[in-house]
Structures are given as C-alpha cells and as structure tokens.
C-alpha cells in the first residue's frame, strides 16, 4: 500500500516563505532552501539552521512546481499521508518508482539482453513541501549540509561545484 512517511535529515524547509532552488544537471540534483530545525528548542521555537543543501544521490527523475501549500489537498498522495507530514517525506510503495524501475529494467533488457546485468540501486520517492511549490524526486538517498554564509554565496559555490 502506498504511504507517505516523514524523512528525518536534521532540518525542514522554513514555512515562512519561498527561497528554494533546484540545481540539476545530468548527474546531480541539489535542493537549496532556508532551513529550520525539526524539533522545538527549550524556548519553544523551531530554530534557524541556516541554508541547507540537500543532494539527491543517484537522482534519476524529478518534478518541481505545483502544488503550492494552497493546492496540496489535490495532490494524488494527500490522503496517503502527505497531509500529515511537514517538510520532507518519502513515499513507500510509490507508483512513480514502480514506473521508472520498470522502464530501467526494460532498457537493460533491450540493450544487454537481460534485466540482471548489474545490480540495480534502490530507488526512493522523496517529496519536499515548500510554501509556494512541491519538489519530488526519485533518488537512492539524501545527504544534507548546512551553511551559514549568505544564500547567494552558497548558491555560487554549489554552481561552481556542479560545473567543474
């Protein structure tokens, strides 16, 4: 059964507004956003964590845009747990992952004659809920780094890394 569950990476996107940026080339996908903690501090607040750069490891397909927070009730996964999860989640038994995995198997079969030529990596469906958009990706895992420099500097360094 398809189910959306929370993913703990040490932060979540700030609900205060937009600011997310997707940096993607044929080999890498990075999600940059203003991050807050996932647990309230002793003062009762979700503390600022700076700028988060999340790398979607082994990313093979993404989508970004609608729905925003106002349209999320119409997302096909809303009633499968997306309504209860804040920030970042994973879709267990994702139909999208099934579709992509089938395509990959068929490509391997067509090119190499067998779907068992090499071990396929585990594919996972992640969803990032932002205020003004939703980002979804199929990847094998997520890693996160936190930065205290200004947003533009973080993005500049990331673009240099991706283009080198």
């Amino acid at each position: 059964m398809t189910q959306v569950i929370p993913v703990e990476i040490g932060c979540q996107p700030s609900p205060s507004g937009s600011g997310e940026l997707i940096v993607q080339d044929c080999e890498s996908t990075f999600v940059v956003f203003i991050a807050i903690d996932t647990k309230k501090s002793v003062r009762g607040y979700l503390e600022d964590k700076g700028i988060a750069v999340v790398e979607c490891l082994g990313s093979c397909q993404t989508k970004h845009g609608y729905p925003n927070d106002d349209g999320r009730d119409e997302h096909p996964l809303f009633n499968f747990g997306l309504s209860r999860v804040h920030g970042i989640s994973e879709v267990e038994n994702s139909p999208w992952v099934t579709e992509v995995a089938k395509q990959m198997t068929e490509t391997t079969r067509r090119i190499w004659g067998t779907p068992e030529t090499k071990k396929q990596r585990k594919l996972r469906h992640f969803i990032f809920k932002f205020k003004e958009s939703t980002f979804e990706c199929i990847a094998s895992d997520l890693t996160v780094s936190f930065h205290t420099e200004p947003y533009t500097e973080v993005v500049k360094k990331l673009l240099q890394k991706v283009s080198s």
Side-chain angles (χ1 to χ4, degrees), residues 109-142:
R109 179 178 286 120
R110 180 177 47 79
I111 293 172
W112 300 104
T114 174
E116 305 300 325
T117 316
K118 56 183 176 175
K119 187 178 179 197
Q120 285 192 342
R121 66 182 183 264
K122 179 172 172 45
L123 300 177
R124 300 166 67 187
H125 178 175
F126 296 103
I127 301 177
F128 292 63
K129 289 168 63 174
F130 299 111
K131 179 161 180 52
E132 296 302 331
S133 67
T134 301
F135 174 74
E136 298 185 54
C137 71
I138 295 178
S140 57
D141 206 357
L142 304 174

Side-chain angles (χ1 to χ4, degrees), residues 66-77:
Y66 188 81
N68 61 5
D69 58 340
D70 295 326
R72 226 167 258 129
D73 290 20
E74 286 71 47
H75 191 288
L77 296 170

Side-chain angles (χ1 to χ4, degrees), residues 21-157:
L21 174 70
I22 312 304
V23 176
Q24 185 173 359
D25 66 11
C26 63
E27 297 176 0
S28 306
T29 300
F30 296 89
V31 184
V32 182
F33 57 87
I34 300 166
I36 58 172
D37 212 331
T38 57
K39 295 178 178 72
K40 290 183 180 177
S41 69
V42 291
R43 299 182 329 173
Y45 299 106
L46 294 172
E47 299 290 333
D48 178 27
K49 296 216 44 159
I51 306 299
V53 176
V54 178
E55 182 173 6
C56 304
L57 301 171
S59 172
C60 63
Q61 205 168 71
T62 64
K63 49 185 165 180
H64 180 226
Y66 188 81
N68 61 5
D69 58 340
D70 295 326
R72 226 167 258 129
D73 290 20
E74 286 71 47
H75 191 288
L77 296 170
F78 185 80
N79 292 322
F80 291 89
L82 187 61
S83 62
R84 295 184 303 275
V85 177
H86 299 286
I88 302 167
S89 57
E90 180 177 356
V91 182
E92 292 183 332
N93 301 309
S94 167
W96 189 26
V97 165
T98 301
E99 175 188 331
V100 170
K102 181 180 177 193
Q103 290 172 356
M104 293 172 125
T105 299
E106 290 303 315
T107 299
T108 302
R109 179 178 286 120
R110 180 177 47 79
I111 293 172
W112 300 104
T114 174
E116 305 300 325
T117 316
K118 56 183 176 175
K119 187 178 179 197
Q120 285 192 342
R121 66 182 183 264
K122 179 172 172 45
L123 300 177
R124 300 166 67 187
H125 178 175
F126 296 103
I127 301 177
F128 292 63
K129 289 168 63 174
F130 299 111
K131 179 161 180 52
E132 296 302 331
S133 67
T134 301
F135 174 74
E136 298 185 54
C137 71
I138 295 178
S140 57
D141 206 357
L142 304 174
T143 61
V144 64
S145 59
F146 298 102
H147 306 268
T148 56
E149 306 97 325
Y151 189 90
T152 54
E153 288 301 311
V154 173
V155 171
K156 182 178 173 183
K157 287 179 184 177

